[in-house]
Amino acid sequence: MYIRDTIAAVSTPPGNGGIGIIRVSGVQAAVVGHTLFKPVSNGGLVSHRFSFGTIIDFATGEKIDEAMAVYMQAPRSYTREDVLELHCHGGWLVVERVLALVLSCGVRLADPGEFTRRAFLNGRIDLVQAEAVMDIIASKSEGALQLAQRQREGTLSVRIEEIRRYVVRALALVEAYIDFPDDDLGETDVAAISASVVDARNMIASLLNTYEDGRIIREGISVLIVGKPNAGKSSLLNMLLNENRAIVTHIPGTTRDIIEETVNFGGLAVRLLDTAGIRQTDDIVEQEGINRALGKISQADLVLAVFDSSREFSREDQLIYDALDGIKTIAVLNKTDLVQQLVLPDDDRFVSIVRIAALSGAGVDVLKHTVCSQFLHTSQTDSRELVTLSRARHRDALVSADQFLNKFVDGLQDRNLELLALDLRSALQAVGAVTGQTATDEVLDLIFSSFCIGK
Ligand code: GDP
């Protein structure tokens, strides 16, 4: 439901900053502006023009802050309602006082994502684009950002609309026969209907094919680094992070806890988890670290098993090797600058074997590339035109649409027009859920509640 009251929230992050922005949207936005903001120039607030002035407590006359204000008259605004933004100094106390003043004008505090929800309800953006806004804010890699920007521009929405049109065409033909019950479904029309449904299904199939890559670009992957003490895990991590986040040391077993950092590998966000050196130990703290490391093995998308290639394969190496059975693992043979001694028992255990020298960084780029190639099957991070599916919600809706279309194809033999029309309408319902044409209030609540306040 859409209640047309006026809402407000702080749109900048919590805490102290250079500028704090309070956003107001709704019919009262202009009144709030005139009540609280006294511009230096005489012209008052002109739509889409910034003005400089003072925010004043209208009850006491107290000057609260020097500020910039911009009023955007509907429909040329983010929400398509009247919008006012007050840009004041970014101390949390100032921002809180200005917000309290705005609310005292009879304005309600906005729910999470409510500005974007209004932009959706007023038809400025569809649901895919609203979700893309959230993805832009949450992007942790170039690839994820590009993908989100493409979806915000509407590339996926256009494709969904094309699918919808094919189904609508088929439905129109079927319904024409329902209106004239004496006519049998003619062969030419059956062919036309089938062709439309085939086209729709082909487009759905090619979109579904992009999902795994899309999901991985959007969410990133987690990579766990394991290896016996002194194999060079911390050195590798440092090389990957280009900073001294993990402590590198000569004493075995000092990286006791799990260190977690997100880095970018060629547009892909990679969450790196470095673990305590795995070895048999009596030390309780270290044992705890090792248990945690082994526990994490199955949760990671990929494991980098670091081996010291200047030493023979040891019992500790064997311990790790055994724990990795059935786990997607790249063997990283480190210290290739030294005399080589290591012989792995069985190469087939690993999806790839990469030789590096973590200290000098030799081979590390090859390692990064090998990690990416395990997950990305097309080069879509480079292409701006590609339409990519990246959310489970979109995938599920399209899978469901395809199931109804499949049922429709099966039912075509029996020529039961009512049932055929029903399948097509259900397919339309499912396709429409992606862009929000047929989304229920519950679905909208679920989607927008994961937004931040002020967006
Ligand atoms: P971790 O216990 O697995 O985290 O291992 P570290 O990263 O702390 O490295 C253990 C020791 O091996 C340190 O003395 C490093 O300087 C050394 N080391 C790491 N990588 C290399 C390498 O590529 N070549 C050589 N020669 N020494 C390395």
Side-chain angles (χ1 to χ4, degrees), residues 225-238 246-255 274-277 306 308 310 333-338 356-362:
I225 305 177
V226 297
K228 68 178 177 188
N230 268 343
K233 297 178 297 300
S234 310
S235 308
L236 171 62
L237 186 73
N238 285 344
I247 311 148
V248 186
T249 160
H250 294 275
I251 311 153
T254 45
T255 317
D274 176 36
T275 62
V306 184
D308 183 343
S310 69
L333 308 192
N334 187 32
K335 309 194 190 181
T336 49
D337 53 312
L338 303 178
I356 65 160
L359 273 192
S360 69

Side-chain angles (χ1 to χ4, degrees), residues 103-409:
L103 297 181
S104 70
C105 297
V107 171
R108 172 172 65 81
L109 187 65
D111 290 331
E114 200 171 359
F115 293 98
T116 309
R117 186 174 187 151
R118 287 185 173 199
F120 163 71
L121 291 171
N122 287 323
R124 199 178 79 78
I125 53 172
D126 65 24
L127 209 47
V128 171
Q129 292 173 306
E131 289 169 312
V133 167
M134 186 158 51
D135 289 345
I136 288 171
I137 296 170
S139 288
K140 289 196 186 67
S141 72
E142 275 296 320
L145 183 58
Q146 270 182 21
L147 196 154
Q149 290 287 16
R150 286 203 301 268
Q151 291 190 355
R152 191 198 51 79
E153 286 162 13
T155 51
L156 177 57
S157 311
V158 168
R159 192 61 56 88
I160 297 292
E161 182 51 30
E162 283 175 51
I163 295 171
R164 225 182 61 82
R165 255 186 269 143
Y166 281 121
V167 183
V168 166
R169 196 175 302 161
L171 182 61
L173 281 168
V174 172
E175 281 181 339
Y177 279 92
I178 295 180
D179 292 341
F180 300 99
D182 293 341
D183 292 349
D184 273 344
L185 204 52
E187 285 313 316
T188 347
D189 285 334
V190 171
I193 292 168
S194 302
S196 279
V197 170
V198 166
D199 284 339
R201 294 192 73 191
N202 283 343
M203 287 183 97
I204 290 176
S206 67
L207 272 184
L208 288 175
N209 264 337
T210 65
Y211 176 68
E212 256 321 297
D213 275 10
R215 181 189 71 82
I216 279 176
I217 292 173
R218 189 172 90 84
E219 293 175 4
I221 55 166
S222 59
V223 171
L224 185 74
I225 305 177
V226 297
K228 68 178 177 188
N230 268 343
K233 297 178 297 300
S234 310
S235 308
L236 171 62
L237 186 73
N238 285 344
M239 193 46 86
L240 292 172
L241 295 177
N242 280 332
E243 59 177 35
N244 295 322
R245 175 71 174 74
I247 311 148
V248 186
T249 160
H250 294 275
I251 311 153
T254 45
T255 317
R256 281 183 169 151
D257 216 334
I258 291 170
I259 294 170
E260 191 178 316
E261 289 278 356
T262 300
V263 290
N264 261 283
F265 284 6
L268 180 70
V270 177
R271 220 150 44 83
L272 287 172
L273 309 166
D274 176 36
T275 62
I278 294 179
R279 60 168 191 159
Q280 287 169 312
T281 175
D282 295 332
D283 183 325
I284 294 168
V285 180
E286 193 175 323
Q287 188 59 50
E288 175 56 26
I290 292 167
N291 288 343
R292 263 193 247 175
L294 290 174
K296 287 238 173 191
I297 280 182
S298 57
Q299 291 168 25
D301 295 308
L302 176 77
V303 173
L304 298 182
V306 184
F307 296 99
D308 183 343
S309 64
S310 69
R311 310 237 163 184
E312 286 180 8
F313 192 80
S314 66
R315 273 189 48 233
E316 291 163 323
D317 288 324
Q318 185 72 48
L319 210 68
I320 295 160
Y321 189 85
D322 292 342
L324 292 172
D325 193 14
I327 305 284
K328 190 174 193 170
T329 307
I330 295 178
V332 181
L333 308 192
N334 187 32
K335 309 194 190 181
T336 49
D337 53 312
L338 303 178
V339 177
Q340 301 293 283
Q341 302 248 25
L342 185 88
V343 180
L344 285 177
D346 174 13
D347 290 0
D348 291 347
R349 172 68 58 94
F350 306 105
V351 293
S352 187
I353 296 174
V354 180
R355 307 175 75 80
I356 65 160
L359 273 192
S360 69
V364 170
D365 279 345
V366 176
L367 178 61
K368 285 185 187 177
H369 184 77
T370 310
V371 170
C372 287
S373 65
Q374 289 300 321
F375 292 93
L376 300 181
H377 305 101
T378 56
S379 58
Q380 41 198 318
T381 44
D382 309 328
S383 164
R384 291 194 57 80
E385 296 96 66
L386 257 166
V387 183
T388 314
L389 218 55
S390 59
R391 277 180 179 264
R393 190 184 77 78
H394 304 165
R395 183 212 42 197
D396 294 348
L398 289 180
V399 165
S400 152
D402 193 55
Q403 281 164 352
F404 286 117
L405 293 178
N406 192 33
K407 229 172 122 224
F408 171 86
V409 172

